[in-house]
Amino acid sequence: MSTQPITLIPKPLAITDPTPDCAFELTAETVIVAADEALAAGNLLASLLRPATGYPLPVTPALEGAQPAIRLLIDEAIDGDETYRLDVEPQLVTLRAPKAAGLFHAVQTLRQLLPSDIFSPTLVSCQWAIPCVAVEDRPRFSWRGGHLDVCRHFFPVEVVKRFIDMLALHKFNRFHWHLTDDQGWRIEIKRYPRLTEVGAWRKHTMIGHGDNRHHQYDDTPHGGFYTQDQVREVVAYAAERGILVVPEIEMPGHAQAAIAAYPELGNEGTSVDVSGEWGISEIIFNVEESTFEFLQNVLLEVLDLFPSPYIHIGGDEVPKTQWNESERAQAYMRAHNLPDADALQSAFIRRMDDFLNAQGRVLVGWDEILEGGLAENAIVMSWRGEEGGIAAAGQGHDVIMTPEGNVYFDHYQFDPTSEGLAIGGLTTLKDVYSYEPVPPTLTPEQAAHVLGSQGQLWTEYMPTAERLEYMAYPRFFALAEVLWSPRERGPYADFLQRMRAHAKRLDLLGINYCRRALDEG
Ligand code: TNX
């Protein structure tokens, strides 16, 4: 029985050479054995293998008789939150892990060991042979994320699920969902219906680059939002693939859409539009008690929808002009002994930190939350380079490295004159593959605070799902390997070669990845 050459992305910790002339063949008789904590991964495996094979692949709790089987087991003797082992023998494939998380990763590896036609959404006639190998695998970093901004452009649930599918296939474990911004509020909040009635819609969008001062607008209203039922559906969909959804509700800046819905949340009390422009808005939340109450009420509904221990409150790019000019903000600062607006921003974030901690959650924020002093238990996402992350790790805080020069996939991939419009910068596939999330200056103790990294998709210049995928892939896959595979993971040329084979799978899935990145290397 012939098997195809092995091409795994991300590269596993260890895999044996395939035993010659040895394979497990998936047939119409194969059963999937999984129960209890292993059941979700078993069901996922069956649902991924059925479309191309057309086999029934029943999921049963125990092995009966001598049928060929794929068995998923929880094995507490193995160490590590996401570790797994995979053993392929002629009559039996065994996936083992101490936790469900590891089994989800084993499922994705098994999928990649099958002929690439397994990725076809429709029936294919094929000999479904899996080479006899043993895989031992675990991730290098515990935070392997994908961020998606659905505010600058709204993407329907189906597109979000496709993104989650890609994350899962490449063993990411966090989906950071950027749900609110100046240009749109995208999550239904029952208590404040105007957030989506008004805040989810803008009347037009600027044409061209945000740096262009004499810009024009299109004539097209843009918007959309997710109902709470849809949010639950996405959270469950991600969980069924081993991915935790981390929601982001922006404050105190990037709040113009919320203020458009409820002008009393702003500093000037006057009505503003949901922004149709790119760049940093001056319009930020005020510091009235009623505004803190509003934000906490919003967060209570968010906490209800998202079981994630981590809640992202943004905190980035907060122009202080309005606070400096507001009598009420000045009064708040005097009353709380805050010397300047940076200290006010810090006090704002601390209140949210206290609130989230009391609810049993951990606050995550962009690195601006360092200014004026870091809230006690906050986790920092270091985006303006790595300095913020280095400082936070030095203060004993956990950090996620998200430097814009390395993992912002809204940057160009080639010479800008040869690509459609992007925000700027140049971050090639090779640049991403070469990224090292742990700065060499950190002590081992500080380095342990670097949880990992994630790719960012800010969507100002990604108006369609096709454009989104073109910008995201294959750069996300290079990052997958940076975050999962051992530090000594081999040369870029080896990754590129595997990527070129992997492309066949992406083609079958209909993913609009940037092929030029693979052709040109
Ligand atoms: C900065 S990164 C932002 C976003 C923009 C992005 C564009 C961050 C925390 N804030 O609002 O979309 O740059 O690259």
Side-chain angles (χ1 to χ4, degrees):
M1 206 183 316
S2 73
T3 56
Q4 69 173 23
I6 293 173
T7 301
L8 298 176
I9 293 199
K11 193 174 184 167
L13 178 66
I15 178 167
T16 60
D17 286 333
T19 311
D21 304 316
C22 179
F24 174 95
E25 193 187 351
L26 194 67
T27 67
E29 277 70 56
T30 307
V31 296
I32 294 177
V33 182
D36 305 323
E37 223 194 308
L39 186 59
N43 285 335
L44 176 68
L45 179 64
S47 74
L48 290 170
L49 303 185
R50 279 175 194 140
T53 63
Y55 301 151
L57 302 169
V59 181
T60 68
L63 199 52
E64 284 161 28
Q67 309 124 288
I70 302 176
R71 186 170 58 154
L72 295 90
L73 294 174
I74 294 290
D75 181 347
E76 278 159 10
I78 302 174
D79 219 25
D81 284 345
E82 298 182 86
T83 313
Y84 73 89
R85 292 192 46 171
L86 172 61
D87 292 284
V88 183
E89 300 163 275
Q91 289 298 311
L92 184 67
V93 175
T94 307
L95 287 60
R96 258 178 240 281
K99 297 190 173 158
L103 290 178
F104 286 117
H105 301 315
V107 163
Q108 299 296 349
T109 300
L110 185 62
R111 230 179 142 193
Q112 295 191 14
L113 287 172
L114 276 152
S116 44
D117 276 337
I118 198 69
F119 287 82
S120 166
T122 52
L123 202 64
V124 182
S125 155
C126 176
Q127 192 177 37
W128 302 108
I130 308 173
C132 291
V133 290
V135 181
E136 256 195 79
D137 206 6
R138 69 179 126 80
R140 180 175 169 211
F141 290 101
S142 65
W143 189 292
R144 304 180 308 281
H147 156 287
L148 177 61
D149 165 14
V150 293
C151 303
R152 275 53 180 272
H153 284 99
F154 175 71
F155 296 96
V157 167
E158 286 320 305
V159 175
V160 174
K161 286 183 176 173
R162 247 167 100 85
F163 181 59
I164 291 171
D165 287 342
M166 281 297 100
L167 293 179
L169 173 59
H170 301 88
K171 300 186 171 70
F172 286 88
N173 63 356
R174 305 278 183 262
F175 167 42
H176 173 169
W177 204 0
H178 184 80
L179 285 164
T180 73
D181 215 306
D182 300 313
Q183 296 81 3
W185 182 284
R186 305 278 178 238
I187 176 172
E188 177 190 26
I189 301 294
K190 303 266 193 210
R191 187 162 177 156
Y192 303 110
R194 285 176 60 84
L195 284 173
T196 43
E197 282 165 15
V198 174
W201 308 95
R202 61 178 183 255
K203 62 174 188 277
H204 57 206
T205 302
M206 68 174 289
I207 297 170
H209 199 278
D211 287 348
N212 175 7
R213 282 145 162 256
H214 305 290
H215 58 257
Q216 293 180 323
Y217 295 97
D218 63 15
D219 275 329
T220 323
H222 180 86
F225 67 93
Y226 309 100
T227 64
Q228 293 203 348
D229 281 345
Q230 287 176 317
V231 169
R232 280 192 203 92
E233 182 186 328
V234 167
V235 169
Y237 186 87
E240 284 158 15
R241 285 153 184 78
I243 292 178
L244 185 73
V245 186
V246 178
E248 179 179 356
I249 305 294
E250 278 265 23
M251 62 189 82
H254 288 281
Q256 189 172 327
I259 295 166
Y262 295 100
E264 63 271 28
L265 300 169
N267 288 277
E268 301 186 334
T270 50
S271 75
V272 295
D273 284 337
V274 176
S275 175
E277 290 171 28
W278 313 135
I280 302 174
S281 168
E282 294 279 331
I283 295 165
I284 67 173
F285 285 130
N286 65 30
V287 289
E288 301 294 327
E289 284 309 306
S290 52
T291 297
F292 286 109
E293 229 169 83
F294 162 85
L295 288 169
Q296 294 180 355
N297 286 334
V298 166
L299 286 176
L300 283 176
E301 291 193 31
V302 168
L303 300 185
D304 222 37
L305 294 167
F306 294 90
S308 168
Y310 315 101
I311 303 294
H312 203 303
I313 51 70
D316 60 309
E317 298 179 326
V318 188
K320 306 292 182 336
T321 326
Q322 288 198 328
W323 282 353
N324 284 327
E325 286 171 0
S326 147
E327 201 25 64
R328 300 297 304 265
Q330 296 299 317
Y332 187 99
M333 286 162 65
R334 281 193 301 275
H336 293 82
N337 267 326
L338 302 168
D340 55 27
D342 276 351
L344 179 54
Q345 145 113 350
S346 170
F348 193 113
I349 302 298
R350 276 175 208 270
R351 278 185 77 155
M352 291 303 149
D353 191 48
D354 290 345
F355 174 75
L356 287 173
N357 292 168
Q359 303 290 328
R361 311 291 180 106
V362 180
L363 177 146
V364 186
W366 300 107
D367 60 53
E368 285 91 334
I369 68 170
L370 277 151
E371 292 161 9
L374 202 48
E376 253 203 312
N377 302 305
I379 299 179
V380 173
M381 276 190 183
S382 188
W383 75 277
R384 296 172 302 171
E386 295 189 319
E387 291 71 26
I390 292 169
Q395 296 173 35
H397 286 251
D398 283 347
V399 168
I400 298 144
M401 287 296 187
T402 56
E404 54 181 339
N406 307 82
V407 290
Y408 269 40
F409 301 150
D410 57 345
H411 286 196
Y412 288 101
Q413 319 185 52
F414 309 100
D415 173 351
T417 57
S418 69
E419 277 195 289
L421 191 64
I423 194 153
L426 176 65
T427 304
T428 65
L429 182 61
K430 189 173 182 182
D431 292 337
V432 179
Y433 196 73
S434 313
Y435 179 54
E436 168 49 45
V438 180
T441 54
L442 296 188
T443 65
E445 199 194 355
Q446 292 165 344
H449 283 295
V450 178
L451 304 183
S453 175
Q454 64 179 28
Q456 270 56 233
L457 287 172
W458 299 103
T459 56
E460 288 95 329
Y461 306 103
M462 304 179 203
T464 63
E466 288 69 36
R467 187 69 185 167
L468 182 79
E469 292 187 346
Y470 170 90
M471 297 302 277
Y473 316 127
R475 288 187 287 192
F476 254 104
F477 311 148
L479 183 61
E481 197 148 302
V482 169
L483 296 175
W484 179 277
S485 305
R487 189 165 178 174
E488 311 326 326
R489 59 184 178 265
Y492 174 66
D494 166 65
F495 167 74
L496 197 58
Q497 202 185 355
R498 276 180 289 121
M499 246 340 288
R500 286 175 179 149
H502 191 59
K504 169 91 194 292
R505 301 172 182 141
L506 304 172
D507 288 336
L508 287 163
L509 292 169
I511 299 294
N512 186 44
Y513 61 94
C514 174
R515 181 178 291 276
R516 184 176 160 198
L518 302 184
D519 293 343
E520 296 183 12

